């Protein structure tokens, strides 16, 4: 039953409906998890879907869903019909495509438990001869084994390819989510690429297929492990150079044409004033939060342990992020704030 009070039908949809034939299959989407990333992704998806489609959104924080409906209504024209669901199960029940964007493995597991039990207890309206196939795209950054656990649960409830769970963690941050320019690292069977890509490209500009289910997360965590180390090493090297009396801009310009060049030295330099657009220049506000870096590092360490891969630098790096984050002057800021934690000159 649709909650009309919270349902927003763009005028465009009603007009198109009058002219279109009813032969076209309507696509139903669910979007679950409307935080910093999910809010913007759901907004872009809704805006770019045809008015004949429906998107049902859910977040345990009701205010996030209400705010999204308001934004869609006041700032966007056209797009799919949008509705607020009462639970993750309610959002996903009739969906062909379910997208989740949640903080941690425990949230993803709990949301899919709710979703799958809602399917299991719903009387089947579809024809048993031609059952609906469902696609579940999880964009959360979690560990590959938790993701595989959820994928197995999905294929138990939807056997014989009637339901597929794929991982599509992303990079690009809130800026990329807002602009619709995210890069997705996809772990999915080759055969599903044709269905998944068009959905992701409504929220991003690039889809990198990394291999079967779980491979997107492995690639994301390997990249973020490298980033975690490079960020600390850049902060240390910049602090060292400044303490030796070097001008930080001169040092950065040397590094950036030499072998030490990396994203933290070139784009996200931790010394205020070296790169104008970097978070360091605005008291480390915005950017990639130190808490998220710590989380990704922890997930990479867990996955490395399961794979029997040694990460000798990981423990120390984790300790650095943890202690830095525990200090008020660093908490909630961009992860390049490690430079401040080291006592770097600002
Ligand atoms: P967030 O904490 O801002 O939002 C998460 C949302 O999920 C919240 O609104 C919360 O209420 C909701 N939620 C939690 N449990 C739920 C449940 N069971 N059912 C429904 N909703 C639930 O997180 P975010 O920054 O949007 O990040 C989401 C994911 O994307 C994380 O895994 C994160 O690591 C990853 N990511 C974030 C960034 C970034 O810059 N923020 C960049 C890349 C990847």
């Amino acid at each position: 039953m649709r909650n009309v009070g919270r349902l927003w039908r763009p005028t465009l949809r009603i007009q198109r409906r009058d002219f279109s034939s009813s032969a076209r299959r309507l696509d139903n989407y669910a979007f679950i998890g409307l935080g910093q990333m999910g809010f913007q992704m759901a907004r872009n998806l809704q805006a770019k879907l045809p008015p004949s489609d429906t998107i049902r959104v859910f977040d345990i924080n009701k205010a996030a869903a209400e705010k999204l409906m308001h934004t869609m209504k006041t700032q966007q024209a056209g797009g799919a019909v949008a509705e607020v669901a009462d639970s993750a199960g309610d959002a996903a029940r009739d969906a062909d495509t379910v997208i989740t964007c949640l903080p941690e493995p425990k949230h993803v597991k709990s949301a899919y438990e709710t979703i799958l039990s809602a399917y299991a207890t719903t009387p089947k309206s579809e024809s048993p001869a031609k059952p609906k196939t469902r696609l579940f795209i999880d964009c959360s950054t979690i560990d590959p084994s938790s993701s595989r656990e959820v994928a197995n649960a999905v294929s138990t409830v939807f056997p014989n390819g009637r339901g597929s769970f794929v991982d599509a963690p992303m990079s690009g941050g809130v800026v990329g989510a807002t602009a619709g320019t995210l890069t997705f690292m996809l772990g999915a069977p080759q055969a599903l690429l044709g269905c998944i890509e068009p959905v992701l490209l409504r929220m991003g500009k690039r889809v990198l297929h990394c291999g079967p289910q779980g491979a997107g997360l492995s690639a994301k965590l390997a990249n973020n492990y490298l980033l975690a180390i490079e960020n600390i090493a850049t902060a240390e090297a910049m602090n060292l150079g400044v303490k030796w009396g070097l001008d930080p801009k001169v040092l950065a310009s040397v590094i950036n044409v030499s072998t030490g060049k990396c994203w933290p030295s070139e784009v996200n330099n931790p010394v205020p004033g070296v790169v104008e657009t970097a978070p360091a220049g605005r008291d480390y506000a915005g950017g990639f939060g130190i808490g998220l870096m710590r989380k990704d590092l922890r997930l990479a360490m867990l996955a490395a342990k399961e794979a029997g891969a040694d990460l000798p630098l990981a423990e120390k790096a984790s300790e650095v992020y943890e202690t830095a984050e525990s200090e008020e002057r660093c908490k909630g800021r961009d992860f390049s704030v490690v430079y401040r934690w080291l006592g770097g000159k600002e």
Side-chain angles (χ1 to χ4, degrees):
M1 190 71 183
R2 286 177 172 179
N3 183 339
V4 177
R6 290 184 290 159
L7 168 69
W8 169 54
R9 280 171 198 279
T11 329
L12 187 59
R13 181 204 194 206
I14 295 157
Q15 288 168 349
R16 286 247 192 113
R17 273 257 157 126
D18 292 342
F19 294 104
S20 68
S21 100
S22 56
R24 184 187 175 283
R25 184 179 133 259
L26 302 182
D27 281 320
N28 293 324
Y29 292 78
F31 202 111
I32 295 157
L34 308 169
Q36 295 217 71
M37 299 293 285
F39 184 98
Q40 300 298 343
M41 293 161 72
R43 186 185 58 70
N44 276 320
L45 180 63
Q46 184 273 337
K48 292 175 193 170
L49 285 172
S52 49
D53 290 351
T54 298
I55 178 166
R56 289 172 66 78
V57 299
F58 175 72
D59 193 295
I60 46 169
N61 170 13
K62 279 195 176 143
E66 298 294 349
K67 186 175 164 208
L68 177 61
M69 295 298 276
H70 179 76
T71 304
M72 287 171 175
K73 192 172 173 181
T74 55
Q75 293 173 24
Q76 306 195 151
V81 174
E83 301 172 7
V84 175
D86 292 328
S87 66
D90 178 34
R93 194 175 286 119
D94 295 324
D96 309 282
T97 306
V98 176
I99 300 158
T100 42
C101 186
L102 300 163
E104 305 252 3
K106 64 178 181 202
H107 304 109
V108 175
K109 286 181 191 173
S110 126
Y112 277 91
E113 247 169 53
T114 315
I115 292 169
L116 295 177
S117 55
Y119 282 125
T121 54
T122 305
K124 307 288 170 283
S125 55
E126 61 219 42
S127 145
K130 201 168 179 271
K132 207 172 169 127
T133 54
R134 301 172 195 264
L135 177 61
F136 299 86
I137 307 177
D138 183 34
C139 296
S140 322
T141 305
I142 60 170
D143 59 294
S145 333
S146 296
S147 184
R148 272 190 283 275
E149 227 178 272
V150 178
N152 288 339
V154 167
S155 55
T156 305
V157 174
F158 299 107
N160 309 319
R162 286 199 294 108
S164 304
F165 174 91
V166 304
D167 52 304
M170 61 236 164
S171 71
V174 180
V175 172
T178 307
T181 56
L182 292 168
T183 294
F184 293 95
M185 284 144 268
L186 178 63
Q190 184 78 30
L192 289 181
L193 287 192
C195 314
I196 303 167
E197 269 181 342
V199 179
L200 294 179
L201 290 175
R202 289 186 163 107
M203 301 178 286
K205 66 168 195 273
R206 201 177 298 135
V207 178
L208 306 172
H209 184 220
C210 304
Q213 199 278 319
L217 283 163
S218 298
K220 162 93 184 169
L221 294 181
N223 177 73
N224 281 24
Y225 174 68
L226 178 59
L227 177 63
I229 303 297
E230 283 178 338
N231 177 59
I232 296 175
T234 302
E236 287 174 335
M238 291 302 298
N239 183 40
L240 178 66
V242 171
K243 293 255 161 31
W244 278 336
L246 286 168
D247 177 327
K249 280 194 177 171
V250 171
L251 176 56
S253 67
V254 170
I255 291 173
N256 290 334
V257 292
S258 307
T259 45
K261 175 176 154 178
C262 55
W263 187 82
S265 70
E266 197 176 27
V267 179
N268 211 56
N269 197 288
V271 184
V274 170
V275 175
E276 239 174 68
T277 48
R282 39 175 203 271
D283 198 19
Y284 299 96
F288 185 48
I290 189 165
L292 283 178
M293 182 76 267
R294 192 165 65 81
K295 175 200 137 184
D296 288 2
L297 181 54
R298 184 171 44 75
L299 292 173
M301 289 164 75
L302 175 69
K305 199 168 172 196
E306 285 170 2
D310 275 346
L311 298 178
L313 301 180
E315 282 296 343
K316 188 67 204 175
S318 181
E319 188 190 313
V320 167
Y321 287 116
E322 200 170 315
T323 41
E325 201 195 3
S326 69
E327 291 186 16
E328 210 44 52
R329 63 193 179 127
C330 301
K331 200 180 175 66
R333 295 178 195 277
D334 179 74
F335 73 137
S336 61
V337 77
V338 159
Y339 175 77
R340 172 178 283 173
W341 176 77
L342 282 172
K345 186 169 174 228
E346 293 181 47

